[in-house]
Amino acid sequence: MSLSDKDKSLVKGIWAKAEGKAAELGAEAVARMLVAYPQTKTYFSQWGDLSPGSAKVKKHGATVMTALGQVVKNIDNITGFLSSLSELHAFKLRVDPANFKILGHNIILVFAMYFPAEFTPEVHVAVDKFLQNVALGLSEKYR
Amino acid sequence: MVEWTEQERSIINNIFSNLDYDDIGPKALARCLIVYPWTQRYFASFGNLYNADAIKTNPNIAAHGTKVLHGLDRAVKNLDNIKATYAELSVLHSEKLHVDPDNFKLLADCLTIVIAAKLGNAFNPEVQATFQKFLAVVVSALGRQYH
């Protein structure tokens, strides 16, 4: 389900609004993923403290959101831009791609929480499509 | 059998007792039809679903959204027996409405997002996990009688 010009514009729009709070949004999304989908904790067993307030969880949330911000800036070439991150996820991290959908859901939920007026259904579908394309780009090198 | 802690029962009851069904129901269903447009296949007789604005202002969709949300009341009142409570509704969705059960999850996700938008910070990670557990049980029960 590829991104139309309108989708790209809506994604850029909401991301611009979220820019100042990117780290916080990311931290919330990852924290919620770990609490609501405990199976995702299996990828972070080496961290010890996986509670929402933990420094490592917050830092990882920021890392993920920063990377997504970069993808938004390269929205016309998502798969190409994600090439090395795809290799990382495929060969080193070996994250089951089903989990990209789970994190995506939590990112969307956090957007809705922080921007209830701006995260209209139209923006929601554009972001959902975007994250789906990101997941596809990240899975590119898997097999 | 699904086990619920006192905490989880309290969270679920709290959410539903403070819910504006006429606001949240329509919003959740409209969002589902807009974000996952293939779900519109079940509403061909509902009138104009031509674009997002038409969906958002369609009175039939709004009424149905409220109806569906009230349907969840049954599960809230019968937390220890959701499977049996929804047996009939499951048969209805399978035999009469012919709804692909994958769609239940889509609507459940939209409902979660609409409630998160409404409650903001009150919808903390623990509340989210509990609410999603509740909806997962409902979704599973609704798909149970398909064959």
Side-chain angles (χ1 to χ4, degrees):
Chain A
M1 300 180 220
S2 53
L3 298 169
S4 66
D5 286 336
K6 177 159 178 239
D7 291 326
K8 292 180 187 178
S9 160
L10 288 174
V11 169
K12 286 180 174 167
I14 194 78
W15 233 272
K17 283 223 160 60
E19 196 142 33
K21 291 188 177 251
E24 195 184 333
L25 291 171
E28 275 278 359
V30 172
R32 280 157 190 282
M33 179 187 76
L34 296 169
V35 171
Y37 302 87
Q39 69 268 29
T40 57
K41 291 196 289 188
T42 56
Y43 292 99
F44 304 99
S45 49
Q46 70 278 20
W47 281 2
D49 179 9
L50 289 173
S51 63
S54 110
K56 288 202 166 121
V57 170
K58 285 184 175 170
K59 181 160 176 264
H60 197 64
T63 302
V64 168
M65 276 311 260
T66 302
L68 280 174
Q70 291 302 311
V71 180
V72 173
K73 288 190 169 66
N74 289 273
I75 206 166
D76 292 320
N77 181 24
I78 293 178
T79 301
F81 181 74
L82 285 173
S83 181
S84 49
L85 267 176
S86 180
E87 281 177 9
L88 177 76
H89 284 76
F91 304 126
K92 190 154 174 272
L93 305 175
R94 287 191 265 225
V95 177
D96 188 317
N99 294 291
F100 300 148
K101 209 171 182 184
I102 293 176
L103 181 53
H105 166 73
N106 284 288
I107 289 171
I108 281 172
L109 191 142
V110 167
F111 265 120
M113 264 178 62
Y114 277 68
F115 306 101
E118 294 89 334
F119 201 69
T120 62
E122 293 92 318
V123 172
H124 181 163
V125 59
V127 172
D128 194 48
K129 286 170 73 176
F130 167 69
L131 290 174
Q132 226 185 53
N133 278 275
V134 170
L136 212 57
L138 275 177
S139 333
E140 181 66 18
K141 297 272 157 65
Y142 271 63
R143 54 180 177 172
Chain B
M1 237 265 303
V2 186
E3 300 282 335
W4 303 98
T5 62
E6 280 314 307
Q7 171 90 288
E8 286 170 333
R9 289 172 199 270
S10 163
I11 287 173
I12 293 164
N13 277 295
N14 228 326
I15 291 178
F16 279 88
S17 56
N18 292 311
L19 209 55
D20 181 354
Y21 286 73
D22 293 319
D23 176 48
I24 299 294
K27 280 192 172 130
L29 184 56
R31 193 167 281 253
C32 186
L33 295 174
I34 293 165
V35 177
Y36 308 107
W38 53 94
T39 56
Q40 290 169 26
R41 73 190 306 281
Y42 303 109
F43 300 94
S45 63
F46 275 51
N48 186 3
L49 300 179
Y50 201 57
N51 54 39
D53 283 325
I55 293 171
K56 285 189 244 187
T57 53
N58 184 315
N60 294 321
I61 294 296
H64 196 70
T66 305
K67 186 177 178 183
V68 167
L69 199 52
H70 275 298
L72 288 177
D73 286 342
R74 288 194 232 183
V76 178
K77 291 187 170 64
N78 292 283
L79 282 178
D80 293 310
N81 204 6
I82 292 180
K83 199 161 66 181
T85 303
Y86 280 139
E88 219 180 285
L89 267 174
S90 178
V91 171
L92 175 81
H93 282 76
S94 164
E95 307 290 298
K96 188 155 176 266
L97 305 175
H98 306 293
V99 177
D100 180 341
D102 283 351
N103 291 290
F104 301 146
K105 180 143 197 319
L106 301 181
L107 180 55
D109 283 348
C110 284
L111 180 59
T112 304
I113 280 150
V114 167
I115 286 185
K118 189 74 185 273
L119 299 180
N121 279 310
F123 198 69
N124 63 44
E126 199 200 342
V127 171
Q128 178 185 343
T130 301
F131 190 62
Q132 290 191 187
K133 175 181 171 181
F134 169 73
L135 288 179
V137 174
V138 168
V139 164
S140 168
L142 276 176
R144 206 66 178 47
Q145 305 301 328
Y146 281 63
H147 64 92

